[in-house]
mmCIF file of all heavy atoms in Angstrom:
data_model
loop_
_atom_site.group_PDB
_atom_site.id
_atom_site.type_symbol
_atom_site.label_atom_id
_atom_site.label_comp_id
_atom_site.label_asym_id
_atom_site.label_seq_id
_atom_site.Cartn_x
_atom_site.Cartn_y
_atom_site.Cartn_z
ATOM 1 N N VAL A 2 109.304 -130.027 -59.244
ATOM 2 C CA VAL A 2 110.028 -128.949 -59.926
ATOM 3 C C VAL A 2 110.889 -129.494 -61.050
ATOM 4 O O VAL A 2 111.435 -128.731 -61.845
ATOM 5 C CB VAL A 2 110.888 -128.154 -58.930
ATOM 6 C CG1 VAL A 2 110.005 -127.383 -57.949
ATOM 7 C CG2 VAL A 2 111.843 -129.083 -58.185
ATOM 8 N N ASP A 3 111.016 -130.800 -61.112
ATOM 9 C CA ASP A 3 111.703 -131.457 -62.216
ATOM 10 C C ASP A 3 111.016 -132.788 -62.480
ATOM 11 O O ASP A 3 110.117 -133.212 -61.749
ATOM 12 C CB ASP A 3 113.190 -131.641 -61.915
ATOM 13 C CG ASP A 3 113.456 -132.388 -60.616
ATOM 14 O OD1 ASP A 3 112.536 -133.125 -60.151
ATOM 15 O OD2 ASP A 3 114.542 -132.244 -60.048
ATOM 16 N N LEU A 4 111.468 -133.460 -63.524
ATOM 17 C CA LEU A 4 110.781 -134.676 -63.946
ATOM 18 C C LEU A 4 110.920 -135.787 -62.911
ATOM 19 O O LEU A 4 109.956 -136.514 -62.645
ATOM 20 C CB LEU A 4 111.327 -135.136 -65.305
ATOM 21 C CG LEU A 4 110.593 -136.314 -65.954
ATOM 22 C CD1 LEU A 4 109.115 -136.000 -66.144
ATOM 23 C CD2 LEU A 4 111.225 -136.688 -67.284
ATOM 24 N N ASP A 5 112.105 -135.933 -62.301
ATOM 25 C CA ASP A 5 112.286 -136.998 -61.324
ATOM 26 C C ASP A 5 111.382 -136.807 -60.110
ATOM 27 O O ASP A 5 110.771 -137.770 -59.613
ATOM 28 C CB ASP A 5 113.750 -137.044 -60.880
ATOM 29 C CG ASP A 5 114.686 -137.476 -61.995
ATOM 30 O OD1 ASP A 5 114.189 -138.162 -62.923
ATOM 31 O OD2 ASP A 5 115.870 -137.121 -61.966
ATOM 32 N N GLY A 6 111.315 -135.548 -59.609
ATOM 33 C CA GLY A 6 110.444 -135.297 -58.471
ATOM 34 C C GLY A 6 108.979 -135.550 -58.820
ATOM 35 O O GLY A 6 108.204 -136.086 -58.013
ATOM 36 N N PHE A 7 108.591 -135.184 -60.031
ATOM 37 C CA PHE A 7 107.210 -135.403 -60.467
ATOM 38 C C PHE A 7 106.894 -136.895 -60.544
ATOM 39 O O PHE A 7 105.825 -137.339 -60.108
ATOM 40 C CB PHE A 7 107.004 -134.730 -61.820
ATOM 41 C CG PHE A 7 105.680 -135.035 -62.467
ATOM 42 C CD1 PHE A 7 104.507 -134.493 -61.988
ATOM 43 C CD2 PHE A 7 105.607 -135.892 -63.568
ATOM 44 C CE1 PHE A 7 103.290 -134.779 -62.587
ATOM 45 C CE2 PHE A 7 104.401 -136.180 -64.160
ATOM 46 C CZ PHE A 7 103.226 -135.620 -63.675
ATOM 47 N N VAL A 8 107.813 -137.679 -61.071
ATOM 48 C CA VAL A 8 107.593 -139.128 -61.188
ATOM 49 C C VAL A 8 107.434 -139.748 -59.807
ATOM 50 O O VAL A 8 106.593 -140.637 -59.584
ATOM 51 C CB VAL A 8 108.751 -139.786 -61.955
ATOM 52 C CG1 VAL A 8 108.651 -141.305 -61.895
ATOM 53 C CG2 VAL A 8 108.767 -139.311 -63.402
ATOM 54 N N GLU A 9 108.226 -139.268 -58.843
ATOM 55 C CA GLU A 9 108.146 -139.798 -57.479
ATOM 56 C C GLU A 9 106.791 -139.485 -56.849
ATOM 57 O O GLU A 9 106.171 -140.356 -56.215
ATOM 58 C CB GLU A 9 109.264 -139.185 -56.634
ATOM 59 C CG GLU A 9 109.258 -139.667 -55.180
ATOM 60 C CD GLU A 9 110.338 -139.003 -54.365
ATOM 61 O OE1 GLU A 9 111.177 -138.284 -54.932
ATOM 62 O OE2 GLU A 9 110.338 -139.201 -53.124
ATOM 63 N N VAL A 10 106.322 -138.250 -57.028
ATOM 64 C CA VAL A 10 105.030 -137.882 -56.451
ATOM 65 C C VAL A 10 103.896 -138.665 -57.123
ATOM 66 O O VAL A 10 102.950 -139.102 -56.456
ATOM 67 C CB VAL A 10 104.795 -136.365 -56.586
ATOM 68 C CG1 VAL A 10 103.416 -135.987 -56.055
ATOM 69 C CG2 VAL A 10 105.878 -135.595 -55.845
ATOM 70 N N MET A 11 103.974 -138.856 -58.421
ATOM 71 C CA MET A 11 102.936 -139.615 -59.122
ATOM 72 C C MET A 11 102.860 -141.045 -58.630
ATOM 73 O O MET A 11 101.767 -141.634 -58.559
ATOM 74 C CB MET A 11 103.188 -139.597 -60.627
ATOM 75 C CG MET A 11 102.861 -138.273 -61.311
ATOM 76 S SD MET A 11 101.091 -137.984 -61.469
ATOM 77 C CE MET A 11 100.670 -139.050 -62.844
ATOM 78 N N SER A 12 104.000 -141.638 -58.265
ATOM 79 C CA SER A 12 103.993 -143.011 -57.755
ATOM 80 C C SER A 12 103.244 -143.105 -56.433
ATOM 81 O O SER A 12 102.663 -144.149 -56.124
ATOM 82 C CB SER A 12 105.431 -143.509 -57.588
ATOM 83 O OG SER A 12 106.116 -142.741 -56.616
ATOM 84 N N GLU A 13 103.278 -142.019 -55.648
ATOM 85 C CA GLU A 13 102.533 -142.016 -54.390
ATOM 86 C C GLU A 13 101.030 -141.993 -54.640
ATOM 87 O O GLU A 13 100.242 -142.313 -53.747
ATOM 88 C CB GLU A 13 102.936 -140.800 -53.560
ATOM 89 C CG GLU A 13 104.398 -140.841 -53.109
ATOM 90 C CD GLU A 13 104.805 -139.584 -52.379
ATOM 91 O OE1 GLU A 13 103.932 -138.687 -52.202
ATOM 92 O OE2 GLU A 13 105.978 -139.460 -51.974
ATOM 93 N N HIS A 14 100.629 -141.593 -55.834
ATOM 94 C CA HIS A 14 99.213 -141.635 -56.222
ATOM 95 C C HIS A 14 98.892 -142.896 -57.024
ATOM 96 O O HIS A 14 97.884 -142.965 -57.725
ATOM 97 C CB HIS A 14 98.861 -140.398 -57.066
ATOM 98 C CG HIS A 14 98.840 -139.126 -56.290
ATOM 99 N ND1 HIS A 14 99.983 -138.419 -55.994
ATOM 100 C CD2 HIS A 14 97.808 -138.434 -55.719
ATOM 101 C CE1 HIS A 14 99.677 -137.323 -55.322
ATOM 102 N NE2 HIS A 14 98.347 -137.315 -55.131
ATOM 103 N N ASP A 15 99.776 -143.911 -56.921
ATOM 104 C CA ASP A 15 99.575 -145.214 -57.572
ATOM 105 C C ASP A 15 99.568 -145.098 -59.096
ATOM 106 O O ASP A 15 98.905 -145.869 -59.798
ATOM 107 C CB ASP A 15 98.272 -145.873 -57.120
ATOM 108 C CG ASP A 15 98.252 -146.126 -55.628
ATOM 109 O OD1 ASP A 15 99.336 -146.413 -55.066
ATOM 110 O OD2 ASP A 15 97.166 -146.026 -55.017
ATOM 111 N N VAL A 16 100.317 -144.120 -59.620
ATOM 112 C CA VAL A 16 100.445 -143.957 -61.061
ATOM 113 C C VAL A 16 101.919 -144.089 -61.429
ATOM 114 O O VAL A 16 102.775 -143.362 -60.903
ATOM 115 C CB VAL A 16 99.903 -142.594 -61.533
ATOM 116 C CG1 VAL A 16 100.089 -142.455 -63.046
ATOM 117 C CG2 VAL A 16 98.442 -142.438 -61.158
ATOM 118 N N THR A 17 102.197 -145.027 -62.338
ATOM 119 C CA THR A 17 103.571 -145.227 -62.800
ATOM 120 C C THR A 17 103.787 -144.397 -64.061
ATOM 121 O O THR A 17 102.998 -144.487 -65.014
ATOM 122 C CB THR A 17 103.830 -146.706 -63.113
ATOM 123 O OG1 THR A 17 103.609 -147.478 -61.926
ATOM 124 C CG2 THR A 17 105.258 -146.913 -63.592
ATOM 125 N N VAL A 18 104.849 -143.571 -64.047
ATOM 126 C CA VAL A 18 105.169 -142.704 -65.186
ATOM 127 C C VAL A 18 106.357 -143.285 -65.926
ATOM 128 O O VAL A 18 107.394 -143.585 -65.311
ATOM 129 C CB VAL A 18 105.468 -141.267 -64.727
ATOM 130 C CG1 VAL A 18 105.790 -140.391 -65.934
ATOM 131 C CG2 VAL A 18 104.309 -140.693 -63.943
ATOM 132 N N ASN A 19 106.213 -143.441 -67.234
ATOM 133 C CA ASN A 19 107.288 -143.972 -68.067
ATOM 134 C C ASN A 19 107.764 -142.888 -69.028
ATOM 135 O O ASN A 19 106.968 -142.317 -69.771
ATOM 136 C CB ASN A 19 106.796 -145.193 -68.849
ATOM 137 C CG ASN A 19 107.880 -145.781 -69.736
ATOM 138 O OD1 ASN A 19 109.055 -145.762 -69.375
ATOM 139 N ND2 ASN A 19 107.484 -146.284 -70.894
ATOM 140 N N HIS A 20 109.061 -142.604 -68.971
ATOM 141 C CA HIS A 20 109.658 -141.603 -69.863
ATOM 142 C C HIS A 20 110.420 -142.337 -70.956
ATOM 143 O O HIS A 20 111.407 -143.036 -70.684
ATOM 144 C CB HIS A 20 110.596 -140.679 -69.071
ATOM 145 C CG HIS A 20 111.293 -139.680 -69.930
ATOM 146 N ND1 HIS A 20 112.552 -139.191 -69.630
ATOM 147 C CD2 HIS A 20 110.943 -139.083 -71.108
ATOM 148 C CE1 HIS A 20 112.929 -138.328 -70.555
ATOM 149 N NE2 HIS A 20 111.962 -138.256 -71.468
ATOM 150 N N ARG A 21 109.951 -142.161 -72.195
ATOM 151 C CA ARG A 21 110.567 -142.863 -73.311
ATOM 152 C C ARG A 21 111.229 -141.859 -74.237
ATOM 153 O O ARG A 21 110.652 -140.807 -74.547
ATOM 154 C CB ARG A 21 109.507 -143.673 -74.079
ATOM 155 C CG ARG A 21 110.063 -144.494 -75.232
ATOM 156 C CD ARG A 21 108.978 -145.400 -75.804
ATOM 157 N NE ARG A 21 107.848 -144.637 -76.299
ATOM 158 C CZ ARG A 21 107.762 -144.137 -77.529
ATOM 159 N NH1 ARG A 21 108.767 -144.317 -78.393
ATOM 160 N NH2 ARG A 21 106.701 -143.460 -77.912
ATOM 161 N N VAL A 22 112.447 -142.200 -74.687
ATOM 162 C CA VAL A 22 113.222 -141.336 -75.583
ATOM 163 C C VAL A 22 113.521 -142.125 -76.854
ATOM 164 O O VAL A 22 114.038 -143.243 -76.788
ATOM 165 C CB VAL A 22 114.529 -140.857 -74.935
ATOM 166 C CG1 VAL A 22 115.287 -139.937 -75.895
ATOM 167 C CG2 VAL A 22 114.254 -140.162 -73.615
ATOM 168 N N SER A 23 113.181 -141.544 -78.000
ATOM 169 C CA SER A 23 113.491 -142.160 -79.291
ATOM 170 C C SER A 23 114.544 -141.319 -79.995
ATOM 171 O O SER A 23 114.569 -140.088 -79.872
ATOM 172 C CB SER A 23 112.229 -142.281 -80.153
ATOM 173 O OG SER A 23 111.671 -141.017 -80.394
ATOM 174 N N ARG A 24 115.412 -142.006 -80.730
ATOM 175 C CA ARG A 24 116.529 -141.346 -81.430
ATOM 176 C C ARG A 24 117.379 -140.533 -80.444
ATOM 177 O O ARG A 24 117.747 -139.379 -80.695
ATOM 178 C CB ARG A 24 115.997 -140.434 -82.541
ATOM 179 C CG ARG A 24 115.271 -141.161 -83.650
ATOM 180 C CD ARG A 24 114.795 -140.195 -84.724
ATOM 181 N NE ARG A 24 115.931 -139.459 -85.308
ATOM 182 C CZ ARG A 24 116.697 -139.897 -86.295
ATOM 183 N NH1 ARG A 24 116.477 -141.112 -86.814
ATOM 184 N NH2 ARG A 24 117.676 -139.155 -86.773
ATOM 185 N N ALA A 25 117.680 -141.144 -79.301
ATOM 186 C CA ALA A 25 118.455 -140.450 -78.272
ATOM 187 C C ALA A 25 119.835 -140.068 -78.798
ATOM 188 O O ALA A 25 120.535 -140.884 -79.411
ATOM 189 C CB ALA A 25 118.603 -141.344 -77.038
ATOM 190 N N GLY A 26 120.220 -138.797 -78.587
ATOM 191 C CA GLY A 26 121.521 -138.300 -79.011
ATOM 192 C C GLY A 26 121.634 -138.066 -80.496
ATOM 193 O O GLY A 26 122.738 -137.774 -80.982
ATOM 194 N N LYS A 27 120.538 -138.179 -81.260
ATOM 195 C CA LYS A 27 120.573 -137.988 -82.717
ATOM 196 C C LYS A 27 119.620 -136.853 -83.090
ATOM 197 O O LYS A 27 118.741 -136.475 -82.314
ATOM 198 C CB LYS A 27 120.138 -139.272 -83.437
ATOM 199 C CG LYS A 27 121.046 -140.469 -83.155
ATOM 200 C CD LYS A 27 120.548 -141.695 -83.885
ATOM 201 C CE LYS A 27 121.430 -142.917 -83.591
ATOM 202 N NZ LYS A 27 120.936 -144.130 -84.291
ATOM 203 N N PRO A 28 119.766 -136.314 -84.278
ATOM 204 C CA PRO A 28 118.831 -135.274 -84.733
ATOM 205 C C PRO A 28 117.396 -135.819 -84.752
ATOM 206 O O PRO A 28 117.150 -136.961 -85.145
ATOM 207 C CB PRO A 28 119.320 -134.938 -86.136
ATOM 208 C CG PRO A 28 120.759 -135.332 -86.137
ATOM 209 C CD PRO A 28 120.862 -136.539 -85.246
ATOM 210 N N GLY A 29 116.470 -135.006 -84.310
ATOM 211 C CA GLY A 29 115.079 -135.441 -84.263
ATOM 212 C C GLY A 29 114.753 -136.245 -83.031
ATOM 213 O O GLY A 29 113.796 -137.024 -83.033
ATOM 214 N N GLU A 30 115.570 -136.062 -81.982
ATOM 215 C CA GLU A 30 115.315 -136.795 -80.726
ATOM 216 C C GLU A 30 113.922 -136.446 -80.194
ATOM 217 O O GLU A 30 113.534 -135.283 -80.143
ATOM 218 C CB GLU A 30 116.383 -136.439 -79.696
ATOM 219 C CG GLU A 30 116.190 -137.134 -78.349
ATOM 220 C CD GLU A 30 117.286 -136.774 -77.383
ATOM 221 O OE1 GLU A 30 118.429 -137.203 -77.609
ATOM 222 O OE2 GLU A 30 116.998 -136.035 -76.414
ATOM 223 N N LYS A 31 113.162 -137.448 -79.780
ATOM 224 C CA LYS A 31 111.800 -137.255 -79.306
ATOM 225 C C LYS A 31 111.618 -137.866 -77.927
ATOM 226 O O LYS A 31 112.195 -138.913 -77.613
ATOM 227 C CB LYS A 31 110.790 -137.883 -80.273
ATOM 228 C CG LYS A 31 110.719 -137.176 -81.621
ATOM 229 C CD LYS A 31 109.619 -137.776 -82.483
ATOM 230 C CE LYS A 31 109.519 -137.042 -83.822
ATOM 231 N NZ LYS A 31 108.462 -137.600 -84.684
ATOM 232 N N HIS A 32 110.824 -137.150 -77.107
ATOM 233 C CA HIS A 32 110.516 -137.619 -75.757
ATOM 234 C C HIS A 32 109.009 -137.819 -75.632
ATOM 235 O O HIS A 32 108.221 -137.050 -76.205
ATOM 236 C CB HIS A 32 110.989 -136.601 -74.711
ATOM 237 C CG HIS A 32 112.456 -136.398 -74.708
ATOM 238 N ND1 HIS A 32 113.302 -136.975 -73.774
ATOM 239 C CD2 HIS A 32 113.272 -135.680 -75.527
ATOM 240 C CE1 HIS A 32 114.546 -136.616 -74.012
ATOM 241 N NE2 HIS A 32 114.550 -135.823 -75.089
ATOM 242 N N ALA A 33 108.607 -138.795 -74.865
ATOM 243 C CA ALA A 33 107.174 -139.075 -74.659
ATOM 244 C C ALA A 33 106.972 -139.619 -73.258
ATOM 245 O O ALA A 33 107.847 -140.297 -72.696
ATOM 246 C CB ALA A 33 106.657 -140.071 -75.694
ATOM 247 N N LEU A 34 105.805 -139.292 -72.698
ATOM 248 C CA LEU A 34 105.418 -139.795 -71.379
ATOM 249 C C LEU A 34 104.192 -140.691 -71.526
ATOM 250 O O LEU A 34 103.306 -140.431 -72.345
ATOM 251 C CB LEU A 34 105.076 -138.641 -70.433
ATOM 252 C CG LEU A 34 106.218 -137.705 -70.027
ATOM 253 C CD1 LEU A 34 105.684 -136.602 -69.118
ATOM 254 C CD2 LEU A 34 107.343 -138.461 -69.323
ATOM 255 N N SER A 35 104.170 -141.734 -70.719
ATOM 256 C CA SER A 35 102.993 -142.603 -70.649
ATOM 257 C C SER A 35 102.707 -142.886 -69.185
ATOM 258 O O SER A 35 103.601 -142.813 -68.330
ATOM 259 C CB SER A 35 103.229 -143.913 -71.417
ATOM 260 O OG SER A 35 104.329 -144.619 -70.867
ATOM 261 N N TYR A 36 101.441 -143.212 -68.890
ATOM 262 C CA TYR A 36 100.993 -143.384 -67.509
ATOM 263 C C TYR A 36 100.241 -144.713 -67.394
ATOM 264 O O TYR A 36 99.544 -145.130 -68.324
ATOM 265 C CB TYR A 36 100.076 -142.233 -67.096
ATOM 266 C CG TYR A 36 100.651 -140.861 -67.344
ATOM 267 C CD1 TYR A 36 100.465 -140.221 -68.567
ATOM 268 C CD2 TYR A 36 101.383 -140.187 -66.364
ATOM 269 C CE1 TYR A 36 100.976 -138.961 -68.820
ATOM 270 C CE2 TYR A 36 101.909 -138.920 -66.596
ATOM 271 C CZ TYR A 36 101.700 -138.313 -67.827
ATOM 272 O OH TYR A 36 102.218 -137.063 -68.075
ATOM 273 N N ARG A 37 100.389 -145.332 -66.199
ATOM 274 C CA ARG A 37 99.702 -146.617 -66.002
ATOM 275 C C ARG A 37 99.341 -146.779 -64.538
ATOM 276 O O ARG A 37 100.160 -146.523 -63.647
ATOM 277 C CB ARG A 37 100.597 -147.775 -66.449
ATOM 278 C CG ARG A 37 99.925 -149.150 -66.362
ATOM 279 C CD ARG A 37 100.847 -150.233 -66.899
ATOM 280 N NE ARG A 37 102.028 -150.399 -66.081
ATOM 281 C CZ ARG A 37 102.080 -151.161 -64.972
ATOM 282 N NH1 ARG A 37 101.005 -151.823 -64.573
ATOM 283 N NH2 ARG A 37 103.209 -151.262 -64.292
ATOM 284 N N LEU A 38 98.086 -147.196 -64.305
ATOM 285 C CA LEU A 38 97.653 -147.593 -62.970
ATOM 286 C C LEU A 38 98.022 -149.053 -62.736
ATOM 287 O O LEU A 38 98.282 -149.797 -63.692
ATOM 288 C CB LEU A 38 96.146 -147.405 -62.823
ATOM 289 C CG LEU A 38 95.620 -145.958 -62.909
ATOM 290 C CD1 LEU A 38 94.096 -145.947 -62.897
ATOM 291 C CD2 LEU A 38 96.157 -145.125 -61.762
ATOM 292 N N ASP A 39 98.020 -149.459 -61.518
ATOM 293 C CA ASP A 39 98.437 -150.823 -61.202
ATOM 294 C C ASP A 39 97.542 -151.867 -61.847
ATOM 295 O O ASP A 39 98.016 -152.950 -62.217
ATOM 296 C CB ASP A 39 98.459 -151.027 -59.671
ATOM 297 C CG ASP A 39 99.550 -150.201 -58.989
ATOM 298 O OD1 ASP A 39 100.503 -149.806 -59.690
ATOM 299 O OD2 ASP A 39 99.430 -149.949 -57.774
ATOM 300 N N ASP A 40 96.257 -151.572 -61.990
ATOM 301 C CA ASP A 40 95.337 -152.560 -62.562
ATOM 302 C C ASP A 40 95.151 -152.406 -64.075
ATOM 303 O O ASP A 40 94.283 -153.054 -64.657
ATOM 304 C CB ASP A 40 93.972 -152.469 -61.873
ATOM 305 C CG ASP A 40 93.363 -151.087 -61.980
ATOM 306 O OD1 ASP A 40 94.063 -150.163 -62.442
ATOM 307 O OD2 ASP A 40 92.181 -150.919 -61.592
ATOM 308 N N MET A 41 95.961 -151.558 -64.698
ATOM 309 C CA MET A 41 95.888 -151.390 -66.148
ATOM 310 C C MET A 41 96.889 -152.312 -66.818
ATOM 311 O O MET A 41 98.043 -152.407 -66.394
ATOM 312 C CB MET A 41 96.176 -149.935 -66.538
ATOM 313 C CG MET A 41 95.089 -148.955 -66.130
ATOM 314 S SD MET A 41 95.537 -147.230 -66.483
ATOM 315 C CE MET A 41 95.754 -147.288 -68.270
ATOM 316 N N LYS A 42 96.452 -152.979 -67.895
ATOM 317 C CA LYS A 42 97.330 -153.899 -68.593
ATOM 318 C C LYS A 42 98.370 -153.158 -69.423
ATOM 319 O O LYS A 42 99.522 -153.587 -69.517
ATOM 320 C CB LYS A 42 96.505 -154.826 -69.500
ATOM 321 C CG LYS A 42 95.571 -155.754 -68.739
ATOM 322 C CD LYS A 42 94.811 -156.670 -69.702
ATOM 323 C CE LYS A 42 93.895 -157.618 -68.949
ATOM 324 N NZ LYS A 42 93.154 -158.515 -69.878
ATOM 325 N N THR A 43 97.965 -152.074 -70.044
ATOM 326 C CA THR A 43 98.893 -151.313 -70.878
ATOM 327 C C THR A 43 98.840 -149.845 -70.464
ATOM 328 O O THR A 43 97.783 -149.348 -70.038
ATOM 329 C CB THR A 43 98.516 -151.428 -72.373
ATOM 330 O OG1 THR A 43 97.171 -150.981 -72.549
ATOM 331 C CG2 THR A 43 98.657 -152.864 -72.843
ATOM 332 N N PRO A 44 99.927 -149.121 -70.583
ATOM 333 C CA PRO A 44 99.928 -147.700 -70.237
ATOM 334 C C PRO A 44 99.201 -146.884 -71.298
ATOM 335 O O PRO A 44 98.970 -147.341 -72.416
ATOM 336 C CB PRO A 44 101.412 -147.352 -70.173
ATOM 337 C CG PRO A 44 102.070 -148.325 -71.088
ATOM 338 C CD PRO A 44 101.281 -149.603 -70.996
ATOM 339 N N VAL A 45 98.850 -145.665 -70.926
ATOM 340 C CA VAL A 45 98.195 -144.749 -71.840
ATOM 341 C C VAL A 45 99.148 -143.589 -72.098
ATOM 342 O O VAL A 45 99.795 -143.074 -71.193
ATOM 343 C CB VAL A 45 96.860 -144.238 -71.254
ATOM 344 C CG1 VAL A 45 97.058 -143.570 -69.896
ATOM 345 C CG2 VAL A 45 96.193 -143.266 -72.224
ATOM 346 N N ARG A 46 99.269 -143.198 -73.344
ATOM 347 C CA ARG A 46 100.164 -142.107 -73.691
ATOM 348 C C ARG A 46 99.632 -140.774 -73.178
ATOM 349 O O ARG A 46 98.430 -140.564 -73.083
ATOM 350 C CB ARG A 46 100.338 -142.027 -75.207
ATOM 351 C CG ARG A 46 101.032 -143.227 -75.809
ATOM 352 C CD ARG A 46 101.130 -143.065 -77.320
ATOM 353 N NE ARG A 46 101.773 -144.214 -77.946
ATOM 354 C CZ ARG A 46 101.974 -144.341 -79.252
ATOM 355 N NH1 ARG A 46 101.549 -143.376 -80.068
ATOM 356 N NH2 ARG A 46 102.582 -145.402 -79.733
ATOM 357 N N GLY A 47 100.551 -139.866 -72.891
ATOM 358 C CA GLY A 47 100.154 -138.540 -72.455
ATOM 359 C C GLY A 47 99.392 -137.804 -73.533
ATOM 360 O O GLY A 47 98.434 -137.065 -73.248
ATOM 361 N N THR A 48 99.773 -138.011 -74.814
ATOM 362 C CA THR A 48 99.061 -137.349 -75.908
ATOM 363 C C THR A 48 97.635 -137.867 -76.048
ATOM 364 O O THR A 48 96.757 -137.152 -76.530
ATOM 365 C CB THR A 48 99.810 -137.575 -77.233
ATOM 366 O OG1 THR A 48 100.032 -138.987 -77.416
ATOM 367 C CG2 THR A 48 101.145 -136.851 -77.220
ATOM 368 N N THR A 49 97.391 -139.109 -75.610
ATOM 369 C CA THR A 49 96.039 -139.647 -75.640
ATOM 370 C C THR A 49 95.167 -138.969 -74.597
ATOM 371 O O THR A 49 93.987 -138.684 -74.844
ATOM 372 C CB THR A 49 96.056 -141.163 -75.421
ATOM 373 O OG1 THR A 49 96.849 -141.788 -76.428
ATOM 374 C CG2 THR A 49 94.654 -141.743 -75.456
#
């Protein structure tokens, strides 16, 4: 029902969720999510 609960449930499915914030607290603040399995070298963006 919120982002923290979602991240916790995703970890139980062996998926690590990374929440990244750019320009935090400034105009044009942007948020992005990326996902990674344990055997993946680099995460994949949600937009991908």
Side-chain angles (χ1 to χ4, degrees):
V2 293
D3 55 22
L4 187 57
D5 293 336
F7 172 72
V8 171
E9 179 182 353
V10 177
M11 286 286 283
S12 64
E13 295 176 1
H14 290 82
D15 300 326
V16 179
T17 300
V18 180
N19 180 34
H20 177 210
R21 183 172 60 87
V22 181
S23 60
R24 296 181 59 85
K27 298 179 181 179
E30 179 179 291
K31 292 185 178 180
H32 297 258
L34 294 179
S35 60
Y36 308 88
R37 184 177 66 84
L38 295 174
D39 293 339
D40 58 351
M41 291 175 60
K42 295 181 179 180
T43 57
V45 57
R46 295 179 181 179
T48 53
T49 301

